[in-house]
Amino acid sequence: MRRAATVLLAACTTAAALTGLTTAPAWAEGDPTGLGHCTGAGPFVCHFDVAPGTYRVSALLGGGAEAGSTGVTAETRRAMLAETPTAAGRTVRRSFTVDVRDPEGEPTGATGTPGLDLTFGGTAPQLAALRVTPVRTPQILLAGDSTVCDQPGDPYSGWGQQLPQYLTDRLTVANHADSGEGSQSFLDNPVLFPALRSRINHGDLVLIQLAHNDKQTGRETYRANLTAMIEGVRAKGGEPVLVTPVVRRWFNADGTLDNGTALLVNGLGVDLPAEMRALATEHRTPLVDLTALTRARVEELGPEGSKALYLYNERRDNTHTSTRGATEYAALVLGELRAQGLVARRAVR
């Protein structure tokens, strides 16, 4: 892969249309809109041959004779921009940041394709121009399992995969979550916590949600593993945030989730969310009680309505979330981060 230039791609149809975007560099003169990197006419699939790193994408959406509606995904199905409407003949500029890494999705999964891949889709996608530039922003790094990770294929989606669409280009999500991982395996595998830790910059948030696969982990071991991660993040200048796990959709006869299966009490009787809450207090670590938040949402929808949040209809799966469920749960996480002052308002779209 080629090392990124200072400005990888500049888009400029007219100065008025692309206010704030710089003139294309000389080597890009043959492709002033950047659309030479794209194929298709809706969705538009765009590829940029860049090295691993953080990149800002500035896209000019719309411009068609009819109204448009465009959403954007990047790399392994990461939701970067929710569907954005544009009136007929009008354009809007939207910017977001993408964490480009190798592998591009789950750390122990398929390598994927080198460089940056973007898909401009939606119900009526319209793309007039785009520019990609390397940047450095604060990060939210994610440590988690299959309910958090960048899932490679439909119908699965982790909440970390949906989180970027809620953020502006002032903040980047780096999702290191990996399917099948518990607190011990995530801590021990060099491509998981050690690799994540090496990427922490001062002030970065590191969200830790590991519990679903700690089915036979003892209390002391579980606490020791999470404590090691908290201390490891802080030693690098990061801010650890414990996130209790999303509930399993496992109802009692009375329509509640007040049981060990739903609330992640493991095979040894260890109440994993309760241990996370206690550790957060002991280590003065911020906590997002996603167990409580998702329990409230699932109980609100009830046994029938909550099926759409999970893959019950597709797989009879009451653990893994659908795109809808992952999107709702990502919003719950962000809401708590905002409420606790961990994410600035200007970083939220």
Side-chain angles (χ1 to χ4, degrees), residues 283-299:
H283 292 279
R284 297 183 179 180
T285 301
L287 175 79
V288 174
D289 197 343
L290 194 54
T291 304
L293 293 168
T294 55
R295 175 184 178 182
R297 180 57 175 152
V298 171
E299 289 183 343

Side-chain angles (χ1 to χ4, degrees), residues 30-338:
D31 183 21
T33 65
L35 299 184
H37 287 256
C38 306
T39 59
F44 301 89
V45 179
C46 308
H47 174 77
F48 300 87
D49 183 16
V50 298
T54 303
Y55 294 89
R56 175 179 290 117
V57 178
S58 295
L60 192 70
L61 307 178
E66 299 180 355
S69 182
T70 309
V72 186
T73 59
E75 301 291 84
T76 306
R77 303 176 58 239
R78 299 180 213 159
M80 306 307 303
L81 186 68
E83 283 212 32
T84 301
T86 49
R90 303 299 295 272
T91 58
V92 297
R93 183 166 62 92
R94 294 290 183 268
S95 298
F96 51 86
T97 56
V98 183
D99 172 50
V100 176
R101 60 182 182 271
D102 184 11
E104 68 179 38
E106 296 180 80
T108 65
T111 300
T113 56
L116 169 62
D117 293 288
L118 301 164
T119 299
F120 293 80
T123 55
Q126 295 182 0
L127 177 62
L130 75 162
R131 180 185 68 160
V132 173
T133 53
V135 294
R136 179 172 175 174
T137 71
Q139 302 177 99
I140 299 178
L141 299 105
L142 306 180
D145 52 38
S146 57
T147 65
V148 185
C149 74
D150 289 346
Q151 290 282 359
D154 284 325
Y156 294 90
S157 182
W159 62 257
Q161 198 167 21
Q162 300 299 324
L163 185 60
Q165 66 186 296
Y166 294 114
L167 303 172
T168 69
D169 60 2
R170 294 174 178 266
L171 190 58
T172 303
V173 175
N175 191 353
H176 291 259
D178 194 70
S179 293
E181 307 299 340
S183 62
Q184 191 72 64
S185 64
F186 198 91
L187 186 63
D188 292 344
N189 191 327
V191 304
L192 296 175
F193 185 74
L196 179 157
R197 187 174 178 273
S198 71
R199 295 194 55 194
I200 298 171
N201 297 315
H202 183 78
D204 286 346
L205 296 180
V206 180
L207 276 55
I208 302 168
Q209 186 215 277
L210 289 159
H212 276 278
N213 298 304
D214 282 278
K215 298 174 183 177
Q216 296 296 322
T217 305
R219 175 178 180 273
E220 294 306 317
T221 299
Y222 185 65
R223 290 172 62 89
N225 290 340
L226 293 184
T227 298
M229 291 185 207
I230 291 169
E231 293 174 347
V233 170
R234 285 179 171 162
K236 290 283 290 184
E239 175 72 77
V241 180
L242 294 180
V243 182
T244 62
V246 301
V247 294
R248 295 191 180 100
R249 186 190 158 278
W250 201 270
F251 282 92
N252 297 325
D254 63 359
T256 67
L257 299 182
D258 189 16
N259 60 76
T261 300
L263 301 183
L264 283 297
V265 177
N266 75 9
L268 299 180
V270 180
D271 186 331
L272 300 171
E275 295 302 331
M276 295 187 84
R277 295 179 190 113
L279 280 172
T281 299
E282 293 169 21
H283 292 279
R284 297 183 179 180
T285 301
L287 175 79
V288 174
D289 197 343
L290 194 54
T291 304
L293 293 168
T294 55
R295 175 184 178 182
R297 180 57 175 152
V298 171
E299 289 183 343
E300 176 188 22
L301 291 175
E304 189 61 34
S306 64
K307 290 178 180 178
L309 300 179
Y310 292 81
L311 299 179
Y312 180 86
N313 293 326
E314 298 86 351
R315 300 284 192 271
R316 294 297 187 268
D317 186 334
N318 292 306
T319 297
H320 297 97
T321 48
S322 64
T323 297
R324 174 185 163 181
T327 301
E328 288 198 20
Y329 291 175
L332 293 176
V333 172
L334 182 59
E336 280 298 297
L337 296 177
R338 284 279 298 115

